[in-house]
Amino acid sequence: QVQLVESGGGLVQPGGSLRLSCVASGSIQSIYRMGWYRQAPGKQRALVATVPSGGNANYADSVKGRFTISRDNAKKTVNLQMNSLTPEDTAVYYCNVIGTLGGMNGVWWGQGTQVTVSS
């Protein structure tokens, strides 16, 4: 199967930084897109940033200029560098991968990692 292992979440003060990482492992054959979504309390899950293979990164307006997504294809890893964090960034962050397994397309999600921005 496919496993998405997330790391880097935690508690940080406003203005601080965190770096999230997600590593895809298992039987996944090809990865088309990797990215991050988040869900704050009482809100719907929303896109944060994605990066397709051979394409440009896509960012939510609320994080442009503050967050940077990067991808290491050899290691099947996607990172999210988060700077200038605010309390509004507090949410559970989910890694998302679209790829192929057993010759079929699939979508996989990480378990989520909590990011809390508070003074």
Side-chain angles (χ1 to χ4, degrees):
Q1 278 53 251
V2 176
Q3 290 180 294
L4 271 52
V5 180
E6 301 159 325
S7 63
L11 175 65
V12 65
Q13 293 187 356
S17 298
L18 286 173
R19 182 177 177 86
L20 305 182
S21 294
C22 174
V23 181
S25 64
S27 302
I28 191 166
Q29 298 164 313
S30 182
I31 297 176
Y32 299 138
R33 192 192 77 170
M34 305 186 79
W36 293 91
Y37 290 69
R38 67 185 181 186
Q39 187 165 22
K43 297 184 178 180
Q44 61 188 6
R45 187 174 298 187
L47 180 146
V48 178
T50 61
V51 55
S53 59
N56 296 324
N58 181 38
Y59 296 94
D61 289 340
S62 60
V63 307
K64 287 181 179 177
R66 299 189 298 121
F67 291 10
T68 302
I69 189 169
S70 61
R71 176 175 174 175
D72 187 329
N73 292 326
K75 296 183 178 181
K76 298 181 180 179
T77 298
V78 62
N79 302 309
L80 185 69
Q81 179 66 44
M82 305 185 295
N83 299 326
S84 301
L85 287 163
T86 74
E88 289 70 39
D89 295 314
T90 295
V92 178
Y93 285 69
Y94 297 91
C95 180
N96 171 257
V97 172
I98 300 175
T100 61
L101 175 64
M104 302 292 291
N105 294 332
V107 180
W108 294 272
W109 294 91
Q111 287 294 112
T113 183
Q114 178 70 49
V115 172
T116 302
V117 185
S118 176
S119 59

